[in-house]
Amino acid sequence: MSFDYKVADLGLAEAGRHQIRLAEHEMPGLMSIREEFAESQPLKGAKIAGSLHMTVQTAVLIETLTALGAQVRWASCNIYSTQDEAAAAIVVGPNGTPQDPQGVPVFAWKGETLEEYWDCTHEILTWADTGDGIDGPNMILDDGGDATMLVHNGRTWEQAGQVPPTTEDDPEEFTVVKALVRRTLEQDPQKWAAVAERIKGVTEETTTGVHRLYQLAEAGELLFPAINVNDAVTKSKFDNKYGTRHSVLDGLNRATDVLVGGKVAVVAGYGDVGKGVSAALAGQGARVIVTEVDPICALQAAMDGYQVTTMDQAAAYGDIFVTTTGCFDVITADHMAAMKNKAIVSNIGHFDNEIDMAGLARTPGITKTEIKPQVHEWTFANGSSIIVLSEGRLMNLGNATGHPSFVMSNSFANQTIAQIELFAKAEEYVDEDGNPSVTTLPKHLDEKVARLHLDALGVELTELTKDQAEYLGVDVAGPYKPEHYRY
Ligand code: NAI
């Protein structure tokens, strides 16, 4: 079998395969979904373009999708988050060799340039005809919305009958996307209409991507239906919270190995991720300060025992900074100039604009020294310096390997169920006017995902009696909570 792919080194496949094998043991949700649907093959005919951190856990997701009948092409959704051994193992496949790869086309390696990143995203949207007359994906599995936005951006330019100009004054990343759209439209003026038309729908992994989808739907510009995987309870209340509670320390430790106990840690944002990050740092004995814009989350932070103040106030006191907001310019160049010597500055939110890296680079007299990959010391003209992790991109995936398998089993079980659901019934996912909608998975599926993970932790669940269920007004088998319940 021959197919195109682009990864760092297929020689890493064996190491990747060992890690995948261990991860499978820690991902009971995905493995039981594989078993449940092995025969019925609900994803037969699905051609999934996946844009999600190419880690060991994602490898188990990819092989679950293919076990259910899907064809897949994969890219990472961040330039630093790929685990090269996982990417290699997926290309080689369980039965192939580095000389005769038999797995799945992956376009991802750790340390891509932005141009390479967008080329990889374009690769997953561009398939050769695989014998069924269809030369493109019919599903997207997205994390952060870059693949979805590329289709929408391309379609917008194409509909306007234009190719994007190559302007100098746009932010760097936007120019890269525009250059890519320009190139594709010059080659094929109908490219994006064809891509968009084939896509039945997208399942979106994270808060930031979901936010983009709702904006598109509100503007009436969403081209295909979407399932919001992030807001499954078994995703955002687990991955975003307990996942970051683990991986934020992993990122800090691998990057700097600084002792967290006793330090002042400043956490920007107290949503699901902020709660996990604050708990982790406090658990290590840090004195945690939270910044928030939402009075409810600010009050929660205060009642959880954290000091709540503004970044303007906290900048000069923190030893460790972590942004978790999904917003931009949360830590400005002025904040960084006011920080203590050797303060550690990092972001765990989806995009790199939470910390004003461009502003930092423009600071007069500043110099940048690489301590090691993804760890840089920025020294100000007065000799004081700060340590920035992963160039301001998400540090738990840039400096470490992201969330551990068990929590990702919850997230990815939701992803798989959402792909099955949307692939089978995309036409039902529309609003009252028949326009593509953004929807969360029904609660009984959320409860199913949780149920799949109980045995592995030795949890013994109490069962309602029929009378008790009647008294509470629920079914013995669930769902147990009304839609508005917040957990
Ligand atoms: P969320 O919406 O629950 O929390 C974000 C919080 O930040 C909100 O409470 C909001 O009020 C606050 N906030 C917004 N602007 C602010 C500002 N300027 N200053 C202070 N606080 C501000 O979102 P969630 O689920 O916690 O996700 C946050 C980010 O993390 C998103 O970009 C998401 O995509 C990403 N994410 C990253 C993961 C990782 O592994 N690195 C895992 C899950 C999510």
Side-chain angles (χ1 to χ4, degrees), residues 206-209 230 235-236 239-240 244 247 268-274 291-294 297 324-328 330 348-351 354 394 396-397 403:
T206 199
T207 315
T208 288
N230 181 69
K235 199 283 180 182
S236 50
D239 166 325
N240 303 26
T244 55
S247 62
Y270 202 67
D272 290 322
V273 173
T291 74
E292 251 297 344
V293 294
D294 178 335
C297 299
T324 78
T325 68
C327 188
F328 77 101
V330 175
I348 201 167
H350 192 80
F351 283 124
E354 300 208 21
L394 21 78
N396 61 332
L397 283 134
H403 296 352

mmCIF file of all heavy atoms in Angstrom, residues 206-209 230 235-236 239-240 244 247 268-274 291-294 297 324-328 330 348-351 354 394 396-397 403, ligand 1:
data_model
loop_
_atom_site.group_PDB
_atom_site.id
_atom_site.type_symbol
_atom_site.label_atom_id
_atom_site.label_comp_id
_atom_site.label_asym_id
_atom_site.label_seq_id
_atom_site.Cartn_x
_atom_site.Cartn_y
_atom_site.Cartn_z
ATOM 1 N N THR A 206 -12.771 21.789 21.381
ATOM 2 C CA THR A 206 -12.412 22.694 22.482
ATOM 3 C C THR A 206 -13.215 23.993 22.529
ATOM 4 O O THR A 206 -13.844 24.399 21.548
ATOM 5 C CB THR A 206 -10.895 23.007 22.463
ATOM 6 O OG1 THR A 206 -10.510 23.503 23.759
ATOM 7 C CG2 THR A 206 -10.517 24.036 21.418
ATOM 8 N N THR A 207 -13.162 24.629 23.695
ATOM 9 C CA THR A 207 -13.902 25.863 23.993
ATOM 10 C C THR A 207 -13.719 26.908 22.894
ATOM 11 O O THR A 207 -14.684 27.495 22.407
ATOM 12 C CB THR A 207 -13.395 26.449 25.334
ATOM 13 O OG1 THR A 207 -13.294 25.388 26.282
ATOM 14 C CG2 THR A 207 -14.320 27.519 25.864
ATOM 15 N N THR A 208 -12.454 27.139 22.505
ATOM 16 C CA THR A 208 -12.163 28.178 21.522
ATOM 17 C C THR A 208 -12.782 27.849 20.167
ATOM 18 O O THR A 208 -13.367 28.725 19.523
ATOM 19 C CB THR A 208 -10.626 28.359 21.426
ATOM 20 O OG1 THR A 208 -10.202 29.002 22.643
ATOM 21 C CG2 THR A 208 -10.211 29.201 20.239
ATOM 22 N N GLY A 209 -12.707 26.602 19.727
ATOM 23 C CA GLY A 209 -13.283 26.211 18.437
ATOM 24 C C GLY A 209 -14.799 26.302 18.456
ATOM 25 O O GLY A 209 -15.433 26.747 17.490
ATOM 26 N N ASN A 230 -16.976 19.805 23.151
ATOM 27 C CA ASN A 230 -16.406 20.423 24.348
ATOM 28 C C ASN A 230 -17.405 20.481 25.489
ATOM 29 O O ASN A 230 -17.065 20.215 26.629
ATOM 30 C CB ASN A 230 -15.923 21.841 24.040
ATOM 31 C CG ASN A 230 -15.316 22.499 25.264
ATOM 32 O OD1 ASN A 230 -14.247 22.099 25.712
ATOM 33 N ND2 ASN A 230 -16.012 23.467 25.831
ATOM 34 N N LYS A 235 -16.618 15.927 28.864
ATOM 35 C CA LYS A 235 -15.442 16.542 28.235
ATOM 36 C C LYS A 235 -14.985 17.731 29.092
ATOM 37 O O LYS A 235 -14.014 17.649 29.818
ATOM 38 C CB LYS A 235 -15.745 16.960 26.785
ATOM 39 C CG LYS A 235 -14.494 17.165 25.941
ATOM 40 C CD LYS A 235 -13.817 18.485 26.252
ATOM 41 C CE LYS A 235 -12.582 18.752 25.451
ATOM 42 N NZ LYS A 235 -11.948 20.017 25.834
ATOM 43 N N SER A 236 -15.755 18.825 29.044
ATOM 44 C CA SER A 236 -15.216 20.063 29.641
ATOM 45 C C SER A 236 -15.040 19.998 31.159
ATOM 46 O O SER A 236 -14.147 20.636 31.700
ATOM 47 C CB SER A 236 -16.056 21.275 29.247
ATOM 48 O OG SER A 236 -17.410 21.047 29.479
ATOM 49 N N ASP A 239 -11.698 16.836 31.051
ATOM 50 C CA ASP A 239 -10.472 17.158 30.304
ATOM 51 C C ASP A 239 -9.979 18.562 30.683
ATOM 52 O O ASP A 239 -8.834 18.746 31.129
ATOM 53 C CB ASP A 239 -10.832 17.016 28.820
ATOM 54 C CG ASP A 239 -9.863 17.594 27.819
ATOM 55 O OD1 ASP A 239 -9.247 18.629 28.094
ATOM 56 O OD2 ASP A 239 -9.750 17.018 26.723
ATOM 57 N N ASN A 240 -10.867 19.562 30.536
ATOM 58 C CA ASN A 240 -10.448 20.940 30.780
ATOM 59 C C ASN A 240 -10.003 21.125 32.231
ATOM 60 O O ASN A 240 -9.089 21.910 32.505
ATOM 61 C CB ASN A 240 -11.593 21.918 30.471
ATOM 62 C CG ASN A 240 -12.091 21.779 29.039
ATOM 63 O OD1 ASN A 240 -11.964 20.723 28.435
ATOM 64 N ND2 ASN A 240 -12.678 22.830 28.495
ATOM 65 N N THR A 244 -6.041 19.394 32.801
ATOM 66 C CA THR A 244 -5.046 20.464 33.003
ATOM 67 C C THR A 244 -4.474 20.395 34.418
ATOM 68 O O THR A 244 -3.327 20.779 34.631
ATOM 69 C CB THR A 244 -5.654 21.864 32.756
ATOM 70 O OG1 THR A 244 -6.794 22.030 33.580
ATOM 71 C CG2 THR A 244 -6.038 22.050 31.303
ATOM 72 N N SER A 247 -1.645 18.146 33.611
ATOM 73 C CA SER A 247 -0.635 18.456 32.589
ATOM 74 C C SER A 247 0.008 19.835 32.739
ATOM 75 O O SER A 247 1.073 20.080 32.177
ATOM 76 C CB SER A 247 -1.218 18.270 31.188
ATOM 77 O OG SER A 247 -2.295 19.135 30.952
ATOM 78 N N ALA A 268 -4.659 33.348 35.132
ATOM 79 C CA ALA A 268 -5.630 34.238 34.480
ATOM 80 C C ALA A 268 -6.798 33.406 33.985
ATOM 81 O O ALA A 268 -6.623 32.495 33.177
ATOM 82 C CB ALA A 268 -4.976 34.971 33.321
ATOM 83 N N GLY A 269 -7.994 33.685 34.503
ATOM 84 C CA GLY A 269 -9.191 32.938 34.106
ATOM 85 C C GLY A 269 -9.496 31.852 35.123
ATOM 86 O O GLY A 269 -8.592 31.124 35.570
ATOM 87 N N TYR A 270 -10.776 31.752 35.527
ATOM 88 C CA TYR A 270 -11.185 30.706 36.468
ATOM 89 C C TYR A 270 -12.408 29.972 35.926
ATOM 90 O O TYR A 270 -13.402 29.772 36.586
ATOM 91 C CB TYR A 270 -11.477 31.319 37.856
ATOM 92 C CG TYR A 270 -11.391 30.318 38.986
ATOM 93 C CD1 TYR A 270 -10.167 29.746 39.333
ATOM 94 C CD2 TYR A 270 -12.521 29.943 39.691
ATOM 95 C CE1 TYR A 270 -10.076 28.827 40.359
ATOM 96 C CE2 TYR A 270 -12.444 29.025 40.736
ATOM 97 C CZ TYR A 270 -11.219 28.469 41.059
ATOM 98 O OH TYR A 270 -11.122 27.548 42.080
ATOM 99 N N GLY A 271 -12.296 29.597 34.634
ATOM 100 C CA GLY A 271 -13.300 28.717 34.036
ATOM 101 C C GLY A 271 -12.894 27.284 34.330
ATOM 102 O O GLY A 271 -12.227 27.006 35.336
ATOM 103 N N ASP A 272 -13.254 26.346 33.456
ATOM 104 C CA ASP A 272 -12.937 24.941 33.706
ATOM 105 C C ASP A 272 -11.424 24.730 33.774
ATOM 106 O O ASP A 272 -10.918 24.059 34.675
ATOM 107 C CB ASP A 272 -13.542 24.062 32.603
ATOM 108 C CG ASP A 272 -15.055 24.009 32.702
ATOM 109 O OD1 ASP A 272 -15.574 23.969 33.832
ATOM 110 O OD2 ASP A 272 -15.722 24.034 31.654
ATOM 111 N N VAL A 273 -10.687 25.306 32.817
ATOM 112 C CA VAL A 273 -9.235 25.125 32.800
ATOM 113 C C VAL A 273 -8.596 25.851 33.984
ATOM 114 O O VAL A 273 -7.743 25.282 34.694
ATOM 115 C CB VAL A 273 -8.630 25.614 31.459
ATOM 116 C CG1 VAL A 273 -7.108 25.586 31.494
ATOM 117 C CG2 VAL A 273 -9.149 24.763 30.286
ATOM 118 N N GLY A 274 -9.015 27.070 34.235
ATOM 119 C CA GLY A 274 -8.455 27.838 35.364
ATOM 120 C C GLY A 274 -8.640 27.117 36.686
ATOM 121 O O GLY A 274 -7.748 27.149 37.556
ATOM 122 N N THR A 291 -7.032 35.984 38.261
ATOM 123 C CA THR A 291 -7.646 37.167 37.655
ATOM 124 C C THR A 291 -8.871 36.699 36.873
ATOM 125 O O THR A 291 -8.860 35.625 36.288
ATOM 126 C CB THR A 291 -6.689 37.915 36.693
ATOM 127 O OG1 THR A 291 -6.560 37.168 35.478
ATOM 128 C CG2 THR A 291 -5.311 38.114 37.309
ATOM 129 N N GLU A 292 -9.926 37.463 36.909
ATOM 130 C CA GLU A 292 -11.185 37.094 36.210
ATOM 131 C C GLU A 292 -11.928 38.336 35.754
ATOM 132 O O GLU A 292 -11.751 39.416 36.307
ATOM 133 C CB GLU A 292 -12.107 36.275 37.139
ATOM 134 C CG GLU A 292 -12.249 34.806 36.774
ATOM 135 C CD GLU A 292 -12.874 34.517 35.417
ATOM 136 O OE1 GLU A 292 -13.483 35.418 34.835
ATOM 137 O OE2 GLU A 292 -12.753 33.376 34.926
ATOM 138 N N VAL A 293 -12.758 38.178 34.725
ATOM 139 C CA VAL A 293 -13.651 39.255 34.289
ATOM 140 C C VAL A 293 -15.105 38.941 34.663
ATOM 141 O O VAL A 293 -15.936 39.839 34.736
ATOM 142 C CB VAL A 293 -13.571 39.483 32.757
ATOM 143 C CG1 VAL A 293 -12.210 39.992 32.348
ATOM 144 C CG2 VAL A 293 -13.921 38.215 31.962
ATOM 145 N N ASP A 294 -15.390 37.652 34.895
ATOM 146 C CA ASP A 294 -16.765 37.210 35.160
ATOM 147 C C ASP A 294 -16.969 37.176 36.679
ATOM 148 O O ASP A 294 -16.249 36.464 37.393
ATOM 149 C CB ASP A 294 -16.936 35.807 34.545
ATOM 150 C CG ASP A 294 -18.314 35.224 34.791
ATOM 151 O OD1 ASP A 294 -18.973 35.604 35.772
ATOM 152 O OD2 ASP A 294 -18.725 34.360 33.989
ATOM 153 N N CYS A 297 -17.322 33.629 38.271
ATOM 154 C CA CYS A 297 -16.076 32.863 38.389
ATOM 155 C C CYS A 297 -15.133 33.507 39.403
ATOM 156 O O CYS A 297 -14.410 32.809 40.126
ATOM 157 C CB CYS A 297 -15.410 32.740 37.022
ATOM 158 S SG CYS A 297 -16.436 31.873 35.826
ATOM 159 N N THR A 324 -5.357 31.108 31.057
ATOM 160 C CA THR A 324 -6.314 30.023 30.760
ATOM 161 C C THR A 324 -7.629 30.604 30.238
ATOM 162 O O THR A 324 -8.681 30.025 30.445
ATOM 163 C CB THR A 324 -6.643 29.202 32.035
ATOM 164 O OG1 THR A 324 -7.594 29.937 32.844
ATOM 165 C CG2 THR A 324 -5.434 28.912 32.885
ATOM 166 N N THR A 325 -7.588 31.748 29.546
ATOM 167 C CA THR A 325 -8.822 32.505 29.304
ATOM 168 C C THR A 325 -9.479 32.265 27.944
ATOM 169 O O THR A 325 -10.674 32.504 27.790
ATOM 170 C CB THR A 325 -8.558 34.022 29.397
ATOM 171 O OG1 THR A 325 -7.724 34.405 28.293
ATOM 172 C CG2 THR A 325 -7.886 34.397 30.701
ATOM 173 N N GLY A 326 -8.712 31.904 26.913
ATOM 174 C CA GLY A 326 -9.257 31.898 25.549
ATOM 175 C C GLY A 326 -9.460 33.311 25.025
ATOM 176 O O GLY A 326 -10.089 33.507 23.985
ATOM 177 N N CYS A 327 -8.938 34.318 25.740
ATOM 178 C CA CYS A 327 -9.051 35.725 25.343
ATOM 179 C C CYS A 327 -7.677 36.180 24.814
ATOM 180 O O CYS A 327 -6.755 35.373 24.725
ATOM 181 C CB CYS A 327 -9.471 36.535 26.567
ATOM 182 S SG CYS A 327 -9.892 38.256 26.256
ATOM 183 N N PHE A 328 -7.528 37.435 24.424
ATOM 184 C CA PHE A 328 -6.225 37.884 23.923
ATOM 185 C C PHE A 328 -5.680 39.045 24.747
ATOM 186 O O PHE A 328 -6.436 39.703 25.471
ATOM 187 C CB PHE A 328 -6.289 38.232 22.432
ATOM 188 C CG PHE A 328 -6.939 39.566 22.142
ATOM 189 C CD1 PHE A 328 -6.168 40.681 21.856
ATOM 190 C CD2 PHE A 328 -8.304 39.684 22.168
ATOM 191 C CE1 PHE A 328 -6.762 41.910 21.600
ATOM 192 C CE2 PHE A 328 -8.909 40.905 21.923
ATOM 193 C CZ PHE A 328 -8.139 42.019 21.635
ATOM 194 N N VAL A 330 -3.991 39.136 27.462
ATOM 195 C CA VAL A 330 -4.273 39.005 28.890
ATOM 196 C C VAL A 330 -3.015 39.361 29.686
ATOM 197 O O VAL A 330 -3.067 40.026 30.718
ATOM 198 C CB VAL A 330 -4.753 37.568 29.197
ATOM 199 C CG1 VAL A 330 -4.950 37.352 30.677
ATOM 200 C CG2 VAL A 330 -6.042 37.297 28.430
ATOM 201 N N ILE A 348 -1.967 28.173 28.704
ATOM 202 C CA ILE A 348 -2.503 26.825 28.470
ATOM 203 C C ILE A 348 -3.823 26.907 27.686
ATOM 204 O O ILE A 348 -4.439 25.903 27.369
ATOM 205 C CB ILE A 348 -2.637 26.058 29.824
ATOM 206 C CG1 ILE A 348 -2.680 24.544 29.628
ATOM 207 C CG2 ILE A 348 -3.843 26.536 30.606
ATOM 208 C CD1 ILE A 348 -2.506 23.740 30.898
ATOM 209 N N GLY A 349 -4.247 28.133 27.335
ATOM 210 C CA GLY A 349 -5.429 28.328 26.479
ATOM 211 C C GLY A 349 -5.081 27.983 25.039
ATOM 212 O O GLY A 349 -3.908 27.805 24.695
ATOM 213 N N HIS A 350 -6.091 27.923 24.174
ATOM 214 C CA HIS A 350 -5.861 27.325 22.856
ATOM 215 C C HIS A 350 -4.903 28.104 21.963
ATOM 216 O O HIS A 350 -4.059 27.519 21.293
ATOM 217 C CB HIS A 350 -7.178 27.099 22.123
ATOM 218 C CG HIS A 350 -7.002 26.246 20.907
ATOM 219 N ND1 HIS A 350 -6.907 24.875 20.995
ATOM 220 C CD2 HIS A 350 -6.840 26.548 19.605
ATOM 221 C CE1 HIS A 350 -6.709 24.376 19.787
ATOM 222 N NE2 HIS A 350 -6.669 25.367 18.919
ATOM 223 N N PHE A 351 -5.037 29.433 21.913
ATOM 224 C CA PHE A 351 -4.199 30.199 20.974
ATOM 225 C C PHE A 351 -3.094 30.972 21.688
ATOM 226 O O PHE A 351 -3.147 31.192 22.889
ATOM 227 C CB PHE A 351 -5.070 31.147 20.144
ATOM 228 C CG PHE A 351 -5.806 30.434 19.042
ATOM 229 C CD1 PHE A 351 -7.192 30.509 18.949
ATOM 230 C CD2 PHE A 351 -5.122 29.664 18.116
ATOM 231 C CE1 PHE A 351 -7.870 29.846 17.934
ATOM 232 C CE2 PHE A 351 -5.787 28.992 17.099
ATOM 233 C CZ PHE A 351 -7.170 29.088 17.014
ATOM 234 N N GLU A 354 -2.911 35.006 24.004
ATOM 235 C CA GLU A 354 -3.222 35.397 25.387
ATOM 236 C C GLU A 354 -2.063 36.205 25.975
ATOM 237 O O GLU A 354 -2.246 37.080 26.811
ATOM 238 C CB GLU A 354 -3.504 34.166 26.266
ATOM 239 C CG GLU A 354 -4.683 33.358 25.758
ATOM 240 C CD GLU A 354 -5.434 32.574 26.819
ATOM 241 O OE1 GLU A 354 -5.340 32.896 28.011
ATOM 242 O OE2 GLU A 354 -6.134 31.630 26.434
ATOM 243 N N LEU A 394 0.188 26.731 23.814
ATOM 244 C CA LEU A 394 -0.210 25.940 24.988
ATOM 245 C C LEU A 394 0.930 25.061 25.508
ATOM 246 O O LEU A 394 1.456 24.196 24.829
ATOM 247 C CB LEU A 394 -1.501 25.129 24.797
ATOM 248 C CG LEU A 394 -2.043 24.765 23.426
ATOM 249 C CD1 LEU A 394 -1.257 23.615 22.867
ATOM 250 C CD2 LEU A 394 -3.502 24.417 23.546
ATOM 251 N N ASN A 396 1.164 22.866 28.029
ATOM 252 C CA ASN A 396 1.050 21.464 28.444
ATOM 253 C C ASN A 396 1.285 20.522 27.262
ATOM 254 O O ASN A 396 1.712 19.393 27.439
ATOM 255 C CB ASN A 396 -0.300 21.175 29.118
ATOM 256 C CG ASN A 396 -1.491 21.421 28.220
ATOM 257 O OD1 ASN A 396 -1.440 22.246 27.304
ATOM 258 N ND2 ASN A 396 -2.582 20.723 28.469
ATOM 259 N N LEU A 397 1.042 21.028 26.052
ATOM 260 C CA LEU A 397 1.332 20.211 24.868
ATOM 261 C C LEU A 397 2.662 20.569 24.244
ATOM 262 O O LEU A 397 3.307 19.733 23.616
ATOM 263 C CB LEU A 397 0.195 20.335 23.853
ATOM 264 C CG LEU A 397 -1.013 19.484 24.270
ATOM 265 C CD1 LEU A 397 -2.301 20.237 24.154
ATOM 266 C CD2 LEU A 397 -1.043 18.183 23.500
ATOM 267 N N HIS A 403 -2.647 15.982 28.047
ATOM 268 C CA HIS A 403 -3.352 15.268 29.120
ATOM 269 C C HIS A 403 -3.066 13.771 29.064
ATOM 270 O O HIS A 403 -2.858 13.213 27.996
ATOM 271 C CB HIS A 403 -4.862 15.453 28.966
ATOM 272 C CG HIS A 403 -5.324 16.857 29.112
ATOM 273 N ND1 HIS A 403 -4.522 17.887 29.519
ATOM 274 C CD2 HIS A 403 -6.546 17.412 28.901
ATOM 275 C CE1 HIS A 403 -5.212 19.003 29.557
ATOM 276 N NE2 HIS A 403 -6.437 18.748 29.172
HETATM 277 P P1 NAI B 1 -14.032 28.922 30.089
HETATM 278 O O1 NAI B 1 -14.849 29.815 29.254
HETATM 279 O O2 NAI B 1 -14.677 27.928 31.002
HETATM 280 O O3 NAI B 1 -13.013 29.775 30.999
HETATM 281 C C1 NAI B 1 -12.306 30.897 30.568
HETATM 282 C C2 NAI B 1 -12.404 31.938 31.691
HETATM 283 O O4 NAI B 1 -11.555 33.042 31.407
HETATM 284 C C3 NAI B 1 -13.827 32.489 31.837
HETATM 285 O O5 NAI B 1 -14.293 32.297 33.155
HETATM 286 C C4 NAI B 1 -13.684 33.961 31.480
HETATM 287 O O6 NAI B 1 -14.561 34.798 32.233
HETATM 288 C C5 NAI B 1 -12.219 34.239 31.812
HETATM 289 N N1 NAI B 1 -11.648 35.365 31.074
HETATM 290 C C6 NAI B 1 -11.894 35.749 29.792
HETATM 291 N N2 NAI B 1 -11.165 36.833 29.463
HETATM 292 C C7 NAI B 1 -10.432 37.140 30.555
HETATM 293 C C8 NAI B 1 -9.479 38.149 30.827
HETATM 294 N N3 NAI B 1 -9.152 39.062 29.903
HETATM 295 N N4 NAI B 1 -8.893 38.171 32.053
HETATM 296 C C9 NAI B 1 -9.231 37.241 32.993
HETATM 297 N N5 NAI B 1 -10.135 36.271 32.793
HETATM 298 C C10 NAI B 1 -10.723 36.204 31.589
HETATM 299 O O7 NAI B 1 -13.055 28.158 29.071
HETATM 300 P P2 NAI B 1 -12.170 26.850 29.402
HETATM 301 O O8 NAI B 1 -12.935 25.646 29.036
HETATM 302 O O9 NAI B 1 -11.610 26.997 30.758
HETATM 303 O O10 NAI B 1 -11.036 26.985 28.292
HETATM 304 C C11 NAI B 1 -10.087 28.043 28.323
HETATM 305 C C12 NAI B 1 -9.114 27.906 27.155
HETATM 306 O O11 NAI B 1 -8.366 26.694 27.301
HETATM 307 C C13 NAI B 1 -9.785 27.796 25.783
HETATM 308 O O12 NAI B 1 -8.973 28.464 24.844
HETATM 309 C C14 NAI B 1 -9.797 26.308 25.512
HETATM 310 O O13 NAI B 1 -9.917 26.031 24.141
HETATM 311 C C15 NAI B 1 -8.481 25.897 26.101
HETATM 312 N N6 NAI B 1 -8.301 24.500 26.512
HETATM 313 C C16 NAI B 1 -7.009 24.058 26.576
HETATM 314 C C17 NAI B 1 -6.725 22.771 26.980
HETATM 315 C C18 NAI B 1 -5.319 22.298 27.024
HETATM 316 O O14 NAI B 1 -5.081 21.101 27.178
HETATM 317 N N7 NAI B 1 -4.330 23.146 26.891
HETATM 318 C C19 NAI B 1 -7.801 21.836 27.380
HETATM 319 C C20 NAI B 1 -9.122 22.423 27.342
HETATM 320 C C21 NAI B 1 -9.346 23.711 26.933
#
